[in-house]
Amino acid sequence: MSDNLAKDLASPAAGEGAMPTPPADAPATGAVPAATADAGALRDRPAGGGDELVRVTDLTKLFPVRRGTLVRRGAGAVRAVDGVSFAIDRGTTLGLVGESGSGKSTAGRLISRLLEPTSGSVVFDGQDISHLSSRQLRPLRRDIQMIFQDPYSSLNPRHTIGAIVAAPMRIQKQVPRRGVRDRVRELLELVGLNPEHYNRYPNEFSGGQRQRIGIARALATRPKLIIADEPVSALDVSIRAQIINLLDGLRTEFGLTYLFIAHDLSMVRHLSDRVAVMYLGQIIELADRTDLFSGALHPYTHALLSAVPIPDPTSHRRRERIRLHDEVPSPLNPPVACRFHPRCWKAQEICRTEAPPLLERAPGHQVACHFPEKRDVV
Amino acid sequence: MTGPAPAGTPFLQVRDLTVSFRTDDGVVHAVDRLSFSVERGRTLGIVGESGSGKSVTSLAIMGLHRRGRRVSIDGEIRLDGEDLVTAPAERVRGLRGQRMAMIFQDPLSSMHPQFTVGEQIVEAYRVHNRVSRAAARRRATELLELVGIPEPARRLDDYPHQFSGGMRQRAMIAMAVSCNPELLIADEPTTALDVTVQAQILDLMRELQKEFNSAIIIITHDLGVVAEISDDILVMYAGQAMEHGGVEEVFAHAEHPYTWGLLQSITRLDRQLETTLRTIPGSPPSLINVPPGCPFHPRCTYRELAGPAASTVRPPLAEASPGHRVACHLPVDERRRLLREEVTPTL
Ligand SMILES: Nc1ncnc2c1ncn2[C@@H]1O[C@H](COP(=O)(O)OP(=O)(O)O)[C@@H](O)[C@H]1O
Ligand SMILES: Nc1ncnc2c1ncn2[C@@H]1O[C@H](COP(=O)(O)OP(=O)(O)O)[C@@H](O)[C@H]1O
Ligand code: SF4
Ligand code: SF4
Ligand SMILES: [Mg+2]
Ligand SMILES: [Mg+2]
């Protein structure tokens, strides 16, 4: 690791201009003061005192690993999501970022209860849904909908888009049979498609249009929560912006709550109120958008932000670069204590022996690091 | 023709490259009269949305299109002066791997799953170098080390699937640079990778370029990647060049409405937050039915300003300032005014 990585930067984080920057609670240069004794209690405080739609607590999902037919010695379990806690307030968007394999999709599938947690809980709209049976889950399917990355594979090619969009309504029997067609047209129009096209098949639409179909289908049951898992990753730049604007507009129009999963940090910044960063199945930092993007405290968040290419050849030359060595270790056998320590340029002895808890270091800003501090990276 | 080209001739020169495919649905005009050049030691970034002809262009340069009744390739591709379009297939095959090499987005699909990484590098190397297996293996170890694979001697005996995505891309690069190619084409080399790994791979490509002084073409849809690694940028749309110039010039003074649209529609960490993203209306055309005139006109905000020519006459890629070429009917002054008054304030 080169010296300039080890040295602490003296520059304060840049303000975000358009967003009011809250007073910095931590000195820009030095280390953030140790969490106060009651910081642990603060953890469970509902974010912003708002009205929670979702709360997950110590959520964990292990996937047992089998190699061949025999469960071999040493083959344990993939700790896909490992003790994750957060809440999403009604009408807000939580962005979930992290590199592939960090457990984002698994977290989304646990919350939508496409998967059952190994331990921990998911409370949705006041109800603990962690272990509901599939029959008990049926009414919930209406309230929680997912949008997936791949608009190609998530739409049945043999069904018309009208049938695709209507399917959730039919299953939920929310809308009288006669009303379904009108509602479908309404939905298609809402997502910017021609309502007369309900008799066409998915292959007659472009990637962006197919994603609109996926969104119309997700809206059909008037859900409260939408879990969008990389909804624009497969789309072209010019189409991405259209879909982001659509998601944004729908949120305002219907007061939707989003869990927005993406690996594109600038997209997450655009759409999210709060942002959680995952690494190897755990949340390592969770903060309001502005605090995360201009006042991140965790070295891994710094490394992620620093790696995002900036479309400005001149600023690129000025920009300080943090380069992580190696790649994310296997979630089958994650490093002990701080999971980031083998790649962290700030690691000390304690990082190898004690797992840093996710503590609130500034109002609403939680970090899991023994040595959190601000650093100017963008 | 052999031997170095006369001084002043670019190392790679593509002129009026046109590639079309006859399909059951009609003729696909994948690349249409495309011209650009790349010098040794320089990197050209080609950007454009999917289906804009980027991969077809790189495969044409590498001589990887199966020529025949269904594929037609016209124009010139000169590598160090030698035209690859008219050269016999064996000649181009010989140059491939020796003077030019390519890296693909998905190394797994371009590596053989049943041979170890080492065997594949050794084979690639021995095609062009008459050395013993042992010597080639030593070279393979050096190459893996060069591209930053830890414990290279041991990893040589791994199969591609035992490598992570990033490691496979490194191995692919090792294979590509095994013969010190003078031209390296990387087609979306980091698109499938996470940002931190992408940053490592881009660093590696930069280092290798310093070492080999190659001409590099990097194809990507990420303007950030182009800004970070390229010296020049070529913006493609519907198989045609829209804008071409030095990166700093084009990012600071873009003059084509499509380039503006791309710059406006991206979210970026180095800018203030906007409430609504600007978008380019509609979607890219089918290359079977490319719009006549300026191919971008159905989506262009400024087509009215350019008059009826927009939909009837194809604008030539004309020099707007030295080294900066733009294919748009709008007068240069008008484009600069729009950039200053309407576009820059939104970036
Ligand atoms: N059904 C499954 N069986 C076994 N392992 C899984 C399964 N789903 C996900 N995983 C593993 O769990 C980890 C987290 O995966 P995922 O949640 O898909 O991450 P992300 O969405 O962040 O890329 C990965 O190591 C992945 O291989
Ligand atoms: N072998 C082929 N036969 C027919 N059409 C092709 C072939 N290869 C590419 N195309 C078409 O040519 C166009 C340009 O493709 P490509 O160069 O792969 O785009 P990009 O790399 O910019 O995404 C697309 O419309 C694609 O479908
Ligand atoms: S706890 Fe230690 S190793 Fe982990 S991120 Fe913080 S400084 Fe790095
Ligand atoms: S030629 Fe006309 S339609 Fe094409 S980009 Fe220029 S202004 Fe737009
Ligand atoms: Mg995922
Ligand atoms: Mg391509």
Side-chain angles (χ1 to χ4, degrees):
Chain A
M1 193 65 51
S2 68
D3 286 345
N4 67 329
L5 297 190
K7 88 167 186 271
D8 297 329
L9 265 152
S11 44
E16 292 233 9
M19 300 298 295
T21 309
D25 286 82
T29 50
V32 170
T36 45
D38 61 354
L42 276 174
R43 249 173 100 186
D44 294 326
R45 190 190 59 143
D51 166 21
E52 284 178 12
L53 181 64
V54 179
R55 165 153 298 260
V56 304
T57 310
D58 285 329
L59 193 62
T60 298
K61 182 68 186 178
L62 308 183
F63 291 110
V65 175
R66 284 164 172 277
R67 294 216 180 88
T69 46
L70 296 173
V71 178
R72 276 216 243 139
R73 184 173 53 88
V78 174
R79 312 191 69 88
V81 170
D82 199 1
V84 158
S85 304
F86 60 80
I88 315 176
D89 284 353
R90 227 176 273 273
T92 68
T93 298
L94 175 71
L96 197 53
V97 298
E99 294 180 276
S100 45
S102 58
K104 306 180 299 295
S105 296
T106 304
R109 293 161 66 85
L110 287 168
I111 294 167
S112 64
R113 276 306 320 277
L114 293 174
L115 285 174
E116 186 171 355
T118 308
S119 61
S121 68
V122 179
V123 173
F124 177 79
D125 215 1
Q127 183 190 9
D128 187 335
I129 62 167
S130 320
H131 301 288
L132 296 185
S133 68
S134 52
R135 201 168 48 81
Q136 291 169 315
L137 281 171
R138 201 166 300 149
L140 191 82
R141 297 272 172 248
R142 183 170 62 209
D143 291 337
I144 305 180
Q145 286 287 331
M146 291 199 69
I147 300 170
F148 298 96
Q149 165 173 355
D150 188 353
Y152 299 81
S153 66
S154 62
L155 304 178
N156 187 330
R158 287 188 299 275
H159 291 174
T160 63
I161 66 162
I164 289 169
V165 174
M169 288 186 266
R170 296 223 156 91
I171 294 165
Q172 293 289 345
K173 301 189 179 69
Q174 269 176 305
V175 183
R177 223 172 237 285
R178 280 172 297 114
V180 168
R181 176 170 293 193
D182 289 341
R183 175 89 177 118
V184 167
R185 286 169 187 258
E186 199 181 297
L187 285 163
L188 292 178
E189 188 148 25
L190 186 70
V191 298
L193 291 170
N194 184 338
E196 300 315 316
H197 288 173
Y198 65 90
N199 265 332
R200 298 196 176 179
Y201 290 88
N203 67 5
E204 297 175 58
F205 295 88
S206 67
Q209 288 172 321
R210 287 184 227 207
Q211 196 52 287
R212 291 177 193 270
I213 299 167
I215 294 170
R217 174 178 59 183
L219 291 172
T221 57
R222 304 182 198 277
K224 294 176 181 154
L225 173 68
I226 289 195
I227 298 175
D229 192 352
E230 309 268 6
V232 296
S233 305
L235 304 176
D236 271 312
V237 193
S238 73
I239 308 301
R240 242 177 231 192
Q242 295 173 3
I243 298 295
I244 290 288
N245 284 345
L246 173 63
L247 289 172
D248 206 5
L250 293 170
R251 172 177 57 182
T252 324
E253 189 163 345
F254 299 108
L256 292 167
T257 305
Y258 286 146
L259 176 63
F260 180 63
I261 299 172
H263 61 261
D264 181 327
L265 285 112
S266 63
M267 210 67 90
V268 166
R269 170 173 173 257
H270 181 82
L271 213 55
S272 311
D273 299 295
R274 280 175 71 71
V275 180
V277 183
M278 286 187 80
Y279 186 76
L280 276 174
Q282 301 180 329
I283 289 182
I284 55 99
E285 185 154 15
L286 174 58
D288 286 345
R289 162 182 46 197
T290 315
D291 293 341
L292 194 102
F293 284 98
S294 50
L297 297 172
H298 196 286
Y300 178 65
T301 312
H302 296 150
L304 267 187
L305 289 169
S306 161
V308 176
I310 299 288
D312 178 351
T314 42
S315 89
H316 151 66
R317 309 214 193 296
R318 283 196 308 271
R319 201 173 162 212
E320 188 230 5
R321 278 207 291 252
I322 306 172
R323 286 297 182 257
L324 286 182
H325 288 249
D326 306 325
E327 294 177 24
V328 183
S330 161
L332 196 56
N333 195 4
V336 293
C338 174
R339 289 189 178 176
F340 187 56
H341 86 253
R343 306 173 81 195
C344 184
W345 57 97
K346 293 170 63 178
Q348 306 286 319
E349 195 46 37
I350 187 175
C351 308
R352 290 179 269 271
T353 54
E354 273 179 49
L358 187 68
L359 294 181
E360 183 150 334
R361 300 287 186 163
H365 192 155
Q366 304 172 6
V367 198
C369 173
H370 292 302
F371 305 102
E373 71 191 311
K374 283 195 189 180
R375 179 169 181 172
D376 194 0
V377 281
V378 173
Chain B
M1 188 166 77
T2 45
T9 312
F11 180 63
L12 174 74
Q13 180 153 44
V14 173
R15 227 186 261 155
D16 287 330
L17 178 67
T18 301
V19 183
S20 42
F21 302 99
R22 294 240 303 267
T23 70
D24 296 342
D25 300 325
V27 178
V28 178
H29 301 278
V31 177
D32 191 358
R33 285 165 284 168
L34 185 68
S35 302
F36 62 84
S37 60
V38 195
E39 298 291 355
R40 279 199 185 83
R42 308 266 301 175
T43 299
L44 170 71
I46 303 185
V47 284
E49 295 178 89
S50 46
S52 58
K54 307 181 297 297
S55 297
V56 168
T57 302
S58 41
L59 295 174
I61 297 170
M62 299 297 296
L64 287 170
H65 287 298
R66 207 184 284 263
R67 305 285 281 269
R69 287 208 340 274
R70 294 189 152 258
V71 186
S72 90
I73 303 181
D74 292 297
E76 285 174 24
I77 298 170
R78 290 193 181 274
L79 185 74
D80 208 5
E82 178 177 0
D83 187 10
L84 306 184
V85 173
T86 51
E90 313 84 78
R91 173 67 188 148
V92 180
R93 201 177 312 130
L95 291 170
R96 197 161 66 228
Q98 195 145 51
R99 300 195 74 182
M100 56 184 188
M102 185 156 170
I103 302 165
F104 298 91
Q105 170 176 344
D106 177 12
L108 206 49
S109 66
S110 42
M111 288 172 105
H112 200 296
Q114 273 146 25
F115 291 94
T116 64
V117 170
E119 283 163 341
Q120 299 188 50
I121 300 178
V122 164
E123 278 318 304
Y125 187 60
R126 290 202 345 141
V127 169
H128 300 284
N129 296 272
R130 297 176 54 189
V131 295
S132 69
R133 212 155 254 291
R137 201 179 146 88
R138 275 197 303 278
R139 176 77 180 134
T141 314
E142 283 167 23
L143 286 163
L144 287 192
E145 180 150 31
L146 176 76
V147 299
I149 292 184
E151 298 181 75
R154 194 179 62 74
R155 300 303 307 252
L156 272 184
D157 297 321
D158 282 352
Y159 291 89
H161 73 265
Q162 293 172 287
F163 275 43
S164 67
M167 287 296 164
R168 274 201 293 269
Q169 198 53 283
R170 287 175 190 272
M172 180 88 226
I173 293 173
M175 220 179 286
V177 301
S178 66
C179 301
N180 308 355
E182 295 153 281
L183 170 67
L184 185 64
I185 302 184
D187 189 352
E188 310 251 10
T190 60
T191 302
L193 304 175
D194 278 309
V195 276
T196 62
V197 182
Q198 165 170 283
Q200 296 171 353
I201 298 291
L202 295 180
D203 285 349
L204 173 63
M205 290 185 57
R206 246 182 244 120
E207 283 162 27
L208 291 176
Q209 183 171 51
K210 257 186 230 145
E211 178 140 353
F212 297 114
N213 195 38
S214 335
I216 295 184
I217 297 178
I218 182 166
I219 292 175
T220 173
H221 56 263
D222 187 331
L223 288 167
V225 169
V226 179
E228 293 225 342
I229 196 165
S230 312
D231 302 297
D232 297 299
I233 176 174
L234 172 68
V235 181
M236 285 184 73
Y237 186 79
Q240 304 177 23
M242 299 290 108
E243 184 154 16
H244 183 205
V247 262
E248 290 179 13
E249 164 70 10
V250 172
F251 277 86
H253 309 287
E255 285 195 24
H256 196 284
Y258 178 60
T259 314
W260 294 341
L262 288 180
L263 287 168
Q264 286 171 324
S265 56
I266 51 177
T267 46
R268 42 196 294 181
L269 289 183
D270 60 334
R271 290 290 190 271
Q272 299 188 351
L273 281 160
E274 301 160 276
T275 41
T276 311
L277 291 175
R278 280 163 191 276
T279 59
I280 303 176
S283 48
S286 143
L287 296 189
I288 293 179
N289 292 304
V290 180
C294 167
F296 185 58
H297 84 260
R299 304 176 73 190
C300 182
T301 319
Y302 305 106
R303 61 167 177 261
E304 306 298 335
L305 292 179
S311 56
T312 52
V313 182
R314 173 170 163 181
L317 188 68
E319 196 148 79
S321 56
H324 185 177
R325 302 181 302 152
V326 183
C328 174
H329 287 303
L330 291 176
V332 175
D333 290 345
E334 181 72 353
R335 296 198 300 250
R336 295 195 178 145
R337 183 189 67 78
L338 290 170
L339 174 67
R340 199 173 51 241
E341 292 173 9
E342 297 191 12
V343 181
T344 304
T346 66
L347 293 181

